[in-house]
Amino acid sequence: MSTTAETTTTRLTARGAKTRERIVTAAADLMYVRGVGATTLDDVLAASGVSKSQLYRHFANKDEVVRAVIALMGERVIQREQNALGRVSTMAGLRRWRDALVQNNALRHGAYGCALGSFASEVADNDDIARRALLALFAEWKDLLAGTIRRLQENGTLPPDARVDELATGLLGAVQGGYLLAQTARDVTPMATSIDMALTHLESLSAG
C-alpha cells in the first residue's frame, strides 16, 4: 500500500515537473523574442498548451514565471560560457570565444541581444528578486572571465599586477554594450568592434 502510494506520488511529481518545464520553456522563448512586458500569461498558456489551472498550480503570478525564466536562461548562458571559457588560457582562445559570440548573434542579425541583458533592462527596476538573481548571474559570468584572465596572468601573457577583476568587468561590459548596439543596429559589427577594443586593451598589457 505504501509502495503504491509512493509510486503514484513520484509519477505525479514527474508529470508536474514536465508541465512546469513546458510553461517555463514556452515563456522563455516568447519573452526573449517579444520582451517581458509584451508577453502575457495568456500568450504563455497558448504557447505551452497547458491549462490555466495547471499554470497557477506552479506559479502564483507573472513575476514568478519571469523569475523561473531568468533561472532557465541564466543556466543556459552560464553553461555556454563555462564550455567556451573553461580551458581558455591564451589570447587566441579569447579571440575564438569572441568570434563564437559574434557569429552566434549574427544568426539573428543581432536582433534580440543578450538574454540576461534584455531581462535586466526590463525587470531590474520592478522586481528586486529578479534583479538580484540577474546580479548573481552576471557575477558568475564575470568570474568565468576573471578565471580566464587569471590564467593569462599565470602563464605570463599578462603581468602580475594586472587588475583581473577590473579587466573582467570591463570585458563583460564590452560584451553587454556590444549586444545592445547590435540589437539597435540589427548588425553585429558594433558588437565585434566593442569586444575587439576590450581584447586589444588586454593585449596591450602583455608582459612580453
Side-chain angles (χ1 to χ4, degrees):
M1 184 74 169
S2 175
T3 302
T4 302
E6 289 175 6
T7 301
T8 301
T9 301
T10 301
R11 185 167 60 247
L12 289 173
T13 300
R15 186 184 306 147
K18 287 183 179 180
T19 299
R20 186 183 190 280
E21 182 181 359
R22 273 166 51 202
I23 295 167
V24 176
T25 300
D29 292 342
L30 289 170
M31 290 177 182
Y32 180 52
V33 174
R34 298 182 182 180
V36 174
T39 301
T40 67
L41 288 183
D42 284 341
D43 294 331
V44 175
L45 288 172
S48 62
V50 305
S51 68
K52 186 172 290 189
S53 63
Q54 286 176 307
L55 187 146
Y56 283 107
R57 189 174 301 137
H58 295 280
F59 303 101
N61 49 47
K62 182 178 174 180
D63 284 346
E64 289 192 0
V65 175
V66 172
R67 292 165 194 164
V69 168
I70 289 171
L72 174 63
M73 300 300 276
E75 181 181 355
R76 290 176 180 174
V77 170
I78 297 302
Q79 185 61 59
R80 181 197 72 203
E81 293 302 286
Q82 285 175 335
N83 292 339
L85 291 167
R87 296 184 181 180
V88 172
S89 59
T90 65
M91 285 305 306
L94 265 179
R95 290 284 179 186
R96 287 192 292 272
W97 163 78
R98 169 267 193 208
D99 291 345
L101 279 183
V102 172
Q103 289 167 9
N104 184 61
N105 204 29
L107 297 175
R108 300 182 296 268
H109 305 288
Y112 308 123
C114 170
L116 300 187
S118 297
F119 277 99
S121 68
E122 288 206 65
V123 306
D125 293 335
N126 307 314
D127 184 342
D128 197 56
I129 294 174
R131 182 192 64 79
R132 284 187 275 112
L134 286 161
L135 179 64
L137 288 165
F138 279 123
E140 196 170 350
W141 194 344
K142 191 205 81 170
D143 287 346
L144 290 171
L145 289 168
T148 298
I149 294 170
R150 196 167 287 110
R151 287 190 292 275
L152 291 172
Q153 191 178 52
E154 291 168 352
N155 67 24
T157 301
L158 293 176
D161 61 349
R163 297 180 175 180
V164 173
D165 283 344
E166 290 181 12
L167 291 169
T169 298
L171 184 50
L172 182 57
V175 170
Q176 290 302 313
Y179 268 121
L180 179 60
L181 292 173
Q183 183 178 9
T184 305
R186 292 295 191 269
D187 179 3
V188 295
T189 301
M191 178 183 182
T193 301
S194 180
I195 302 174
D196 281 343
M197 291 294 290
L199 294 183
T200 297
H201 176 65
L202 276 178
E203 289 170 336
S204 75
L205 301 175
S206 174

